[in-house]
Structures are given as structure tokens and as C-alpha cells.
Amino acid sequence: MALNCGIVGLPNVGKSTIFSALTSAPAEAANYPFCTIDPNVGIVSVPDSRLQKIVDLIPTEKVIPAIVEFVDIAGLVKGASKGEGLGNKFLANIREVGIIAHVIRCFDDPDVTHVSNTIDPASDIETINIELALADLETVEKRLEKNSKALRSPDKDVKKKAETADLLLKRLQEVLSQGKAARTLEFGNDEKEILKELQLITLKKQIYVANVDEEGIKDGNDYTREVEKIAGEDGVEVVRICGKLEADIAALDSEEEKEMFLSDAGLAESGLSKLIQKAYDTLDLRTFFTAGPKEVRAWTFHKGDTAPKAAGVIHTDFEKGFIKAEVYHCEDLFSYGSEQKVKEAGKLRIEGKEYPVKDGDVMFFKFNV
């Protein structure tokens, strides 16, 4: 899975404003559709209070946080799956991201044009989801046509795989033709292999991003409640963000000013921090740390990875020549106050190749190449 999150939505819902605030990168934001022609890509640090706590106890020269990539993809419109607007190009861009952050406009503003001239979150969500489903339907129907030849193959193995594919493709065709997502189905192991080849957009997990005005940031509004109701039915997480407020925060120079701004707005943390963390978590990404006088660093691994796989994140040689890992959890460091006291308490462990790395582990790898 790609370690990135694609930001999608109808034109003028605030995607590029949110992207600019996320990355402090100059994505062009304009009050007309299709101002984003090429996907903007930004690398974003993952907020993690544990990193500074580690640095407070293990002084270091350099601190490096974990990162996740955000891709600002131009606005889709009704008919995008058939090439309307700039549909085909953007649908291709969506296929390349790991998850989708679907921005939905949940504010009134007569100065910002809505592509359908009315604020209707349910309709906006339906439009995007149907276009993504129709794009996948086209992929499935092309594959069905190609698969029909394999069904007539004299090779038994080829024919057997084609028969499995045929049943899967027809199930997908039925669901997608109703405008529903492929992820609403359950799949067997044989089918999952075929699905990898299809690269269906509607198999990707989604996050709904309700873009509100400043009045709606704390308690939401009628629009966000509508989004939350739909999200509950779809099994999708919702993050509430005020794009305008986040843009103002991003323009401030220091962390102290940003914290003061948030405090004045009555917020414990920014909506963007919540979005970054939610994207990271939804991608099934977790963090382990390495710590020493030269560098304290947060490293990203996939949930369920073993110690050698995590070592390979640092360098492929670490994975190839993995011998063992010295491991303790960051919470033990916070409790005991130093690595020496962690060792004295017997909390430092030696783990081998089968060890499943846990979020928050502090690790030192031994390897030989």
C-alpha cells in the first residue's frame, strides 16, 4: 500500500486550502473549478508527542519525525468517469494513493461558488462515490471481456483461475453498477490476488473531511451531522476541519503563536493534526523509535510487521543480515526516566526474527552482512 493520502472532492469545497495548510506548500487556491491541474504532493510530519518526551530523556543532536504524503487531486465532477471535466486524468491519480480523504463542504458562503449552486453534503458524497464506482465498473467490464478468452483456455490452471476471476468480476460488476463501493464485499484469498491486479479505487479506505466555518468547528452544524450520519452507515471516519482557520494557523511563524491561536479558538489541537493522525492510522501505519546522542527518529512500519521487516525500513542490509533487536517500550522510558533505569527494571528485551513490532517500541538492531 502506498504511504500516502489523496485529497479529493468536488470543485471549491476547500481541498487546496486544506492541502496548503497541511503542507504549507503553495497549492493554488482559486474560486473556480479545475484550478488544480496537476496533483500537488506534500510531505507532512506526523504529530507525535512521544517524540519530544524521548528527546527530553535522551538528549540528541537531531530529531526526525515520521512522515506521510498528501496528494491534492483536482476536483471531480458528475460525469468524471466518462471524462467530464478533467476526470480521466484525476481518476488515474486517485488509483496511485493509499487512502482517500474526501473533503465535503459544510459551510455557507455566497462568495465561494458551489459547482451545483447548492450546499448539499449528501448529494456531494453520492456524486463522488458514484463517479469512483463507475470508474471501477469500466475497469471490471474491460477485465471481464479479456477474461472470457482465458475461460476457453485448454490449460486447466489458466481456466481455473479465469473461472474464479469470472465469478469475482460479476459480483463486482453488480455492486459497482449500483454505485456502491467494492469494499462493501467480502473476498477470499484467491480473489484478493486478482483484486491486486485490478487496482480498484473503491477498495481504498476513505476518511470524510467535513470542511466547516469557524462557528461549526467545535460542535459542528446541520451539514456535519448529515455527513456523520452517512459516515456511520458507510463505516467511514469523519474529521471536522475549518480550512480557513487552519490556513490562518499555518501562516503563523512559531509553534508558540500557533498554540496560542488554538487556545483562543478553544481547541486542544488543530483539525489538521487529527487528519494527519487519522490518515496515518487508516493506512495501518505505526511508529517505532531509534534513540541516541546523534539522532532520535520516528520510523514508520506497517501494523503486524516483524522485527526484520521494521529493520528494513532503516536499511535493506538491516533486514537481510538481521540477528536480533534490543527493545523496550517508550512508556517504560517515560515511567523510569532513563534507559539505564529501564534496563535495571528488566524492561529491556532481546527479540528475534518472529517478534511483532509494537507501536511505540524503541529499538536497536544488531545485524551482520
Side-chain angles (χ1 to χ4, degrees):
M1 181 189 283
L3 305 187
N4 56 12
C5 177
I7 303 175
V8 305
L10 292 171
N12 295 347
V13 295
K15 297 183 322 304
S16 295
T17 300
I18 287 170
F19 174 83
S20 293
L22 263 172
T23 61
S24 298
E28 183 186 356
N31 183 23
Y32 56 89
F34 311 125
C35 69
T36 312
I37 304 301
D38 293 309
N40 293 282
V41 178
I43 305 297
V44 180
S45 298
V46 178
D48 193 331
S49 60
R50 298 173 300 181
L51 193 60
Q52 186 56 49
K53 287 183 182 178
I54 293 171
V55 173
D56 291 341
L57 297 169
I58 305 176
T60 191
E61 293 176 13
K62 194 191 301 184
V63 183
I64 303 175
I67 57 170
V68 66
E69 185 178 277
F70 279 84
V71 184
D72 179 28
I73 298 168
L76 287 168
V77 293
K78 194 170 184 177
S81 60
K82 301 299 179 189
E84 291 294 322
L86 297 168
N88 291 335
K89 183 174 182 182
F90 304 137
L91 289 166
N93 290 328
I94 295 169
R95 291 189 199 283
E96 294 170 9
V97 299
I99 60 166
I100 296 168
H102 179 173
V103 180
I104 301 135
R105 180 168 166 176
C106 294
F107 64 89
D108 294 304
D109 186 340
D111 295 329
V112 180
T113 307
H114 187 282
V115 71
S116 57
N117 295 316
T118 182
I119 311 302
D120 186 346
S123 174
D124 291 357
I125 290 170
E126 184 180 49
T127 297
I128 295 289
N129 288 345
I130 286 175
E131 291 307 321
L132 298 182
L134 290 176
D136 279 350
L137 180 62
E138 186 178 346
T139 299
V140 165
E141 289 180 339
K142 283 179 181 175
R143 181 62 183 267
L144 264 170
E145 191 178 330
K146 183 180 176 184
N147 195 62
S148 63
K149 295 174 186 175
L151 285 168
R152 300 191 295 273
S153 172
D155 186 311
K156 287 183 180 178
D157 290 338
V158 171
K159 187 175 181 180
K160 186 179 178 183
K161 184 179 178 182
E163 286 169 349
T164 302
D166 189 62
L167 291 171
L168 169 64
L169 292 165
K170 284 176 178 172
R171 280 206 301 142
L172 288 166
Q173 184 182 38
E174 184 180 354
V175 166
L176 294 167
S177 63
Q178 296 170 29
K180 295 178 182 175
R183 63 180 170 274
T184 59
L185 294 172
E186 292 184 6
F187 306 103
N189 289 332
D190 290 346
E191 292 178 322
K192 286 175 183 176
E193 288 303 311
I194 299 164
L195 285 169
K196 284 180 187 175
E197 299 166 16
L198 292 172
Q199 289 189 297
L200 299 180
I201 298 167
T202 63
L203 276 177
K204 299 179 190 295
K205 292 179 181 177
Q206 279 199 51
I207 302 167
Y208 288 155
V209 181
N211 188 17
V212 299
D213 54 21
E214 291 185 39
E215 286 72 33
I217 189 63
K218 284 186 75 175
D219 301 316
N221 54 36
D222 289 342
Y223 297 137
T224 62
R225 284 183 274 280
E226 195 173 358
V227 172
E228 285 157 6
K229 180 175 179 292
I230 295 165
E233 294 165 357
D234 294 346
V236 176
E237 298 271 8
V238 180
V239 177
R240 196 159 60 229
I241 283 181
C242 174
K244 184 177 180 300
L245 185 72
E246 299 291 346
D248 290 342
I249 294 170
L252 297 173
D253 294 327
S254 69
E255 288 303 314
E256 290 76 14
E257 285 179 301
K258 291 177 183 181
E259 285 175 18
M260 196 178 298
F261 193 104
L262 282 169
S263 178
D264 290 345
L267 301 172
E269 66 174 324
S270 77
L272 291 182
S273 287
K274 292 178 184 175
L275 174 58
I276 296 163
Q277 289 163 334
K278 189 67 68 181
Y280 194 76
D281 191 55
T282 304
L283 280 162
D284 275 338
L285 302 179
R286 302 293 183 266
T287 302
F288 73 88
F289 302 98
T290 53
K294 293 286 185 186
E295 177 183 283
V296 171
R297 183 164 182 165
W299 298 90
T300 298
F301 69 100
H302 280 100
K303 181 181 176 182
D305 279 354
T306 56
K309 198 82 176 171
V313 173
I314 299 174
H315 198 288
T316 52
D317 285 350
F318 281 32
E319 182 175 4
K320 288 174 187 172
F322 179 89
I323 300 170
K324 61 184 178 181
E326 294 180 0
V327 186
Y328 63 86
H329 199 272
C330 66
E331 291 299 333
D332 290 326
L333 178 66
F334 305 152
S335 296
Y336 292 99
S338 73
E339 283 191 323
Q340 183 58 40
K341 288 181 180 176
V342 168
K343 291 174 186 176
E344 289 169 1
K347 296 295 184 179
L348 179 72
R349 311 181 309 278
I350 304 298
E351 299 289 359
K353 291 182 178 180
E354 303 305 315
Y355 175 67
V357 180
K358 295 178 178 61
D359 183 61
D361 276 348
V362 181
M363 308 187 76
F364 177 76
F365 297 104
K366 301 259 178 110
F367 70 102
N368 182 34
V369 179

